[in-house]
Amino acid sequence: MGNPKAFLEIHRQEAGYRPIHDRIHDFGEVEQTLSTRERKLQASRCMDCGVPFCHWACPLGNKAPEWNDALYKGDWELAYRLLNSTNPFPEFTGRICPALCEKACVLNRFNHEPTTNREDECAITEAAFREGYIQPHTDIVRNGKKVAVIGAGPAGLVAAYDLNLMGYEVTVFEKNEAIGGLLRYGIPNFKLNKTIIDRRLHLLEEEGIKFEYGKAIECDEAFAKQYDAIVVATGTPTARDLKAPGRELKGVHFALELLSQQNRILAGMEFSKDERITAKDKNVLVIGGGDTGSDCIGTSHRQGCKSVTQIEIMPRPVEGPEDPQNPWPNWPRTLKTTSSHEEGCTRRWNINTLEFLGKDGKLTGVKVQEIDWKPNPEGGRPIMVEKGKPEIIKAELVLLAMGFLKPEHPQYAENVFVCGDAANGASLVVRAMASGRQTATKVDQYIRKTYNL
């Protein structure tokens, strides 16, 4: 702990976002950076708590006090080594993680000004790339065993990374044309530029991991016999649908249809006019109040929409830093305002969708109704009751962002391991990465026991 008084003397300072009038005209990353001096001052605020709840809250077990101290002292290489000891890809989490660690920070309990762990993490990693601290591992000793990883999202990539370093010959099969999963095809470029993923890909390839694209692998018995172990990391590919009348109208799409197509366009892919999904000159309605819905809002603004409305069937979260239902150090389910919300959006809660309306097969509006939730006398999920009169929200584009269904898996062979969202249902990137790391350890233990390595 380099400066024991810093948390008393220095306030939390976030880098903030680029001005709205500037950022809505491009897909460049919206978040700014602090100067080296300011970043070191922010790192000095870490209290080096006797019980580091940040470490407890992080699914990867990041040791924030250690690398914040190294950052404050100017030892960027040590800071990265400490960070990388628990987090294989901090360039991803440093940009898009909701920072569970910060909500569990003792300073968040003390004055609601937690240490800027996520921004510090990103700054440390970019400095490591810039200064050449990150180099491919070329001295890996191979053990002759082969592992297949199905799915190149966060969980699959972490599993492949760890298993490769353990000495296994790893082949990653990806159904899409590039790695990343939702990092590439779900998260917009204004939150995570895809060159960040490509930079990591080059390192993984140099370290010996093989990638095969356009391969939707069925993990049957025949495939399982070709490898000593298989990791299934296919995520949650099925989005939750809304079977309301008029669902078939042109203009009603899943959120990922818009987001993935826009990211592919930015990567150079072309789509015909009939294939193109765009919010340009349209009134947009986003159904679903989570991060994916927020990403749809930001993308719609950049495509030139007329307006954006976001509705959520659940009640409005509590405002302020504290959630009485989830007290510190747990994650508070409070009202979240993202950079996309700041760019302009009408937000409404307790709204149920009744029907999609259209003319000549094209969407023109959505009939909705305000509802309320009453306690269930038998316990369990509250009961939805009608409250207001039905109304129509004008919309030429509806984006369904209501989450994803947890996949069901058949009975696999004993050498097949499932991880990430494929195993646990849709969750955070950091949790998927932690699951990939845990699964890699299980695979290693299984192969060592099976072959007496």
Side-chain angles (χ1 to χ4, degrees):
M1 188 175 181
N3 186 350
K5 294 183 179 181
F7 72 92
L8 296 172
E9 299 173 345
I10 301 171
H11 290 285
R12 175 183 168 95
Q13 179 184 1
E14 299 178 13
Y17 304 116
R18 294 162 50 204
I20 293 176
H21 69 270
D22 173 48
R23 70 187 193 233
I24 62 172
H25 298 295
D26 62 56
F27 282 86
E29 290 188 354
V30 301
E31 194 163 38
Q32 302 182 117
T33 58
L34 297 179
S35 67
T36 298
R37 176 183 174 277
E38 291 171 325
R39 179 57 59 208
K40 290 168 68 175
L41 286 175
Q42 287 303 298
S44 74
R45 299 183 64 249
C46 182
M47 299 170 64
D48 191 19
C49 305
V51 180
F53 286 93
C54 56
H55 173 78
W56 165 83
C58 177
L60 284 167
N62 281 345
K63 302 172 183 176
E66 284 89 337
W67 45 258
N68 270 315
D69 185 58
L71 171 56
Y72 166 62
K73 294 176 179 175
D75 194 338
W76 292 79
E77 182 172 4
L78 175 60
Y80 176 74
R81 301 299 175 208
L82 291 166
L83 174 57
N84 188 230
S85 68
T86 57
N87 188 345
F89 308 136
E91 66 270 31
F92 301 153
T93 51
R95 286 173 165 81
I96 51 92
C97 186
L100 307 178
C101 57
E102 293 185 19
K103 297 303 182 182
C105 177
V106 172
L107 280 175
N108 191 46
R109 173 63 173 162
F110 173 56
N111 60 10
H112 300 303
E113 292 190 24
T115 308
T116 54
N117 290 336
R118 182 187 60 80
E119 291 186 15
D120 293 352
E121 180 177 317
C122 188
I124 289 169
T125 310
E126 288 309 307
F129 273 107
R130 186 171 60 248
E131 298 299 327
Y133 303 147
I134 302 175
Q135 295 295 327
H137 297 86
T138 57
D139 56 349
I140 301 172
V141 178
R142 299 297 171 184
N143 58 25
K145 300 302 179 182
K146 299 191 302 181
V147 177
V149 176
I150 304 175
L157 290 177
V158 170
Y161 172 82
D162 281 3
L163 288 166
N164 182 61
L165 294 184
M166 293 174 186
Y168 296 97
E169 294 180 19
V170 180
T171 302
V172 179
F173 296 91
E174 170 55 48
K175 68 177 181 179
N176 292 308
E177 66 274 15
I179 72 165
L182 287 184
L183 289 173
R184 185 179 295 274
Y185 298 110
I187 296 175
N189 280 31
F190 58 78
K191 290 171 65 177
L192 175 64
N193 192 299
K194 303 311 175 252
T195 59
I196 303 301
I197 303 176
D198 295 333
R199 180 177 64 183
R200 177 57 68 173
L201 170 62
H202 297 324
L203 283 169
L204 297 177
E205 290 177 327
E206 288 184 62
E207 292 175 341
I209 299 177
K210 299 176 182 177
F211 292 90
E212 295 195 19
Y213 303 108
K215 299 286 183 72
I217 301 297
E218 182 178 346
C219 188
D220 54 20
E221 187 176 349
F223 184 79
K225 289 181 179 179
Q226 300 177 43
Y227 295 88
D228 298 294
I230 296 171
V231 175
V232 176
T234 48
T236 52
T238 305
R240 184 174 283 108
D241 206 347
L242 182 57
K243 300 294 186 180
R247 172 65 177 84
E248 75 286 351
L249 289 168
K250 183 178 177 61
V252 183
H253 298 275
F254 288 118
L256 281 190
E257 293 182 69
L258 172 84
L259 298 174
S260 62
Q261 186 184 88
Q262 180 59 63
N263 286 356
R264 285 184 164 98
I265 289 172
L266 293 172
M269 190 175 291
E270 297 182 355
F271 293 86
S272 68
K273 184 177 179 181
D274 290 338
E275 294 173 317
R276 186 78 166 89
I277 303 170
T278 178
K280 184 174 176 58
D281 298 326
K282 295 178 181 177
N283 297 292
V284 180
L285 176 64
V286 178
I287 301 179
D291 288 336
T292 301
S294 168
D295 293 341
C296 289
I297 295 167
T299 300
S300 296
H301 280 300
R302 285 157 180 77
Q303 290 182 344
C305 67
K306 282 185 179 179
S307 68
V308 186
T309 300
Q310 183 181 33
I311 62 175
E312 167 61 53
I313 197 170
M314 300 307 294
R316 181 187 178 101
V318 296
E319 295 189 50
E322 297 182 3
D323 177 4
Q325 300 299 319
N326 295 280
W328 179 92
N330 294 307
W331 176 262
R333 297 189 181 96
T334 53
L335 181 65
K336 182 179 180 181
T337 300
T338 68
S339 62
S340 294
H341 290 132
E342 292 176 354
E343 293 163 5
C345 174
T346 299
R347 304 173 70 184
R348 299 178 64 185
W349 289 266
N350 277 353
I351 301 295
N352 185 34
T353 302
L354 302 177
E355 183 180 0
F356 299 107
L357 307 174
K359 182 178 181 181
D360 299 327
K362 296 182 178 179
L363 180 75
T364 58
V366 182
K367 181 184 289 187
V368 301
Q369 184 175 25
E370 186 177 0
I371 55 94
D372 204 352
W373 294 97
K374 300 295 183 183
N376 190 331
E378 298 180 359
R381 182 182 175 87
I383 300 173
M384 184 177 72
V385 294
E386 297 178 357
K387 184 179 180 181
K389 294 182 179 180
E391 60 179 292
I392 296 175
I393 298 178
K394 184 179 180 181
E396 295 79 43
L397 177 64
V398 164
L399 300 169
L400 305 178
M402 303 178 298
F404 302 86
L405 301 178
K406 182 178 179 179
E408 296 182 2
H409 298 278
Q411 183 65 44
Y412 292 122
E414 67 172 3
N415 67 332
V416 178
F417 300 80
V418 185
C419 73
D421 288 359
N424 307 313
S427 188
L428 303 175
V429 167
V430 67
R431 289 198 177 112
M433 291 171 63
S435 177
R437 171 149 283 189
Q438 293 160 5
T439 301
T441 300
K442 292 178 182 178
V443 169
D444 181 53
Q445 291 171 345
Y446 165 79
I447 292 180
R448 287 182 178 277
K449 180 179 180 181
T450 303
Y451 297 98
N452 294 317
L453 293 183

